[in-house]
Amino acid sequence: MVVVSGSNSGPMAQQLAEALGWEHHLLETRRFPDTEGYIRIPSESIEAMRKEPVVVVSNTFPDSGIVETLLMLDAIQGVRKGDMQNLRNIGPQALPDVGKGVILAIPYFGYSRQDKRFKPGESISAKAIAEMMACGCDGIAVLDLHAPAVLQDISVPVAFTSAMPELAQHLKDTVDPDFILSPDKGAIERASNVAQQIGCEFSYLEKTRIDAHTIVHKAKDLDVAGKSVAIVDDMIATGGTICRAAEALRSQGAVQVHAACCHGLFTGGAIARLLRYVDGVHATGSLANARDVISGGPALARGVRQLLAELGLDS
Ligand code: R5P
């Protein structure tokens, strides 16, 4: 089987290919002067795309990632269906259809945070994006999705996978925390699994988001005096959530505070801001970022294997 990537997930695709022991093929990606994208499967990769199931690794972030993912899926479906017709008359113009076998593996699912309709007339963006992707593939594996429930009934099977086991191992090996904190209720399951794997204490905060840049945490007594604490979340964007949680921990006597997440978006100078509050920042490479210290490949591989088995493509 083959792993394929475009412009936004090359290193992650390479990690996945290594974890699965498969070949990794890079598609040709370019931009026209007006910024529109162009995708082509190199001629030397076409046979591989038709021989076995294909796993396309691509982020739906930033917005250009959505278009690139759709175009990659379209190009791969085209060659798998045998639709080779081209104006230059290069090669055979038609080949037999090789059937289903295209999986999309999404390291960072952009638009995942709009997972509900809060006001009438809103798009449930996470579902809308997933359904667009579902049109071009037979299944989707997604890494540490913000709120998995939103994709539970989309039109193709979805495998939800998580890098929290690797994140826990990394924290154990480097920080060896005494305490894991979830900065809000949404991260409780992830963070408590990390605490359980490390074998340390756990608690959570109750967070209210006033706007994109303003976070308020409800006061809570945490037994962290003299302790080393790691705050675990699915993603860090502006860093506001982590900075406010770190303040609460420091004010209650925590001696070391680290921040760990799967998705390091780190928008608008977030790393510099975070380093005023925490002793270390740890992330996977689901998105290219300066704190990529945890491999996401094994977690994505677990999701892909689960999906291949579910689709009966694992022979
Ligand atoms: C929200 O519930 C997420 O799990 C993160 O806590 C949030 O997106 C982090 O955003 P920021 O870094 O901007 O506070």
Side-chain angles (χ1 to χ4, degrees), residues 5 12 42 83 90 109 114 116 127 135 161 163 181 189-190 193 197 199 205 214 220 235 250 294 310:
S5 62
M12 192 74 185
D83 177 8
I90 300 169
F109 189 107
Q114 181 82 28
K116 294 183 185 71
K127 196 164 184 174
C135 293
T161 185
L181 181 76
E189 193 181 331
R190 263 179 258 276
N193 286 343
Q197 190 177 326
L205 292 176
T214 318
K220 183 173 185 180
M235 68 179 83
R250 299 276 190 205
I294 303 161
E310 194 174 336

Side-chain angles (χ1 to χ4, degrees), residues 113 146 184 207 209 212 215 233-241:
R113 282 177 286 181
H146 180 62
D184 55 29
K207 173 178 95 176
R209 182 178 283 283
I215 304 289
D233 209 346
D234 60 334
M235 68 179 83
I236 301 176
T238 64
T241 300

Side-chain angles (χ1 to χ4, degrees), residues 267-289:
T267 53
I271 293 185
R273 193 173 314 117
L274 284 162
L275 291 177
R276 294 204 293 271
Y277 292 85
V278 301
D279 301 290
V281 182
H282 314 251
T284 76
S286 66
L287 293 153
N289 73 83

Side-chain angles (χ1 to χ4, degrees), residues 18-139:
E18 280 162 21
L20 294 167
W22 297 353
E23 286 172 28
H24 174 208
H25 292 246
L26 259 179
L27 298 198
E28 181 186 341
T29 59
R30 283 196 274 117
R31 294 225 157 261
F32 291 104
D34 61 1
T35 78
E36 287 179 0
Y38 167 90
I39 287 290
R40 180 178 158 264
I41 302 170
S43 340
E44 60 276 17
S45 295
I46 288 179
E47 204 191 321
M49 307 282 140
R50 289 179 48 78
K51 219 165 53 185
E52 291 175 293
V54 177
V55 179
V56 181
V57 184
S58 194
N59 285 336
T60 56
F61 181 89
D63 286 4
S64 56
I66 297 172
V67 177
E68 186 173 299
T69 308
L70 291 172
L71 298 184
M72 286 199 291
L73 292 174
D74 178 66
I76 292 165
Q77 292 287 7
V79 299
R80 287 183 64 84
K81 285 193 176 106
D83 177 8
M84 310 300 288
Q85 204 173 23
N86 63 90
L87 289 177
R88 297 200 183 164
N89 218 22
I90 300 169
Q93 301 296 292
L95 290 168
D97 186 336
V98 296
K100 72 174 183 180
V102 179
I103 283 177
L104 174 59
I106 308 179
Y108 177 64
F109 189 107
Y111 287 87
S112 61
R113 282 177 286 181
Q114 181 82 28
D115 64 326
K116 294 183 185 71
R117 183 174 295 125
F118 299 91
K119 295 179 194 160
E122 284 180 350
S123 164
I124 303 174
S125 316
K127 196 164 184 174
I129 301 295
E131 286 294 8
M132 275 186 232
M133 301 301 148
C135 293
C137 66
D138 302 302

Side-chain angles (χ1 to χ4, degrees), residues 181 205 217-227 229 231 242-257 277:
L181 181 76
L205 292 176
H217 278 120
K218 196 168 156 190
K220 183 173 185 180
D221 284 336
L222 300 162
D223 182 18
V224 293
K227 292 180 181 167
V229 184
I231 308 167
I242 298 290
C243 294
R244 298 292 76 78
E247 275 179 331
L249 290 166
R250 299 276 190 205
S251 70
Q252 296 187 42
V255 286
Q256 282 253 331
V257 179
Y277 292 85

Side-chain angles (χ1 to χ4, degrees), residues 164 167 171 180-183 187 190-191 194 230-234 260-261:
M164 292 298 133
L167 184 149
L171 287 178
I180 297 291
L181 181 76
S182 166
R190 263 179 258 276
V194 170
I231 308 167
V232 172
D233 209 346
D234 60 334
C261 65

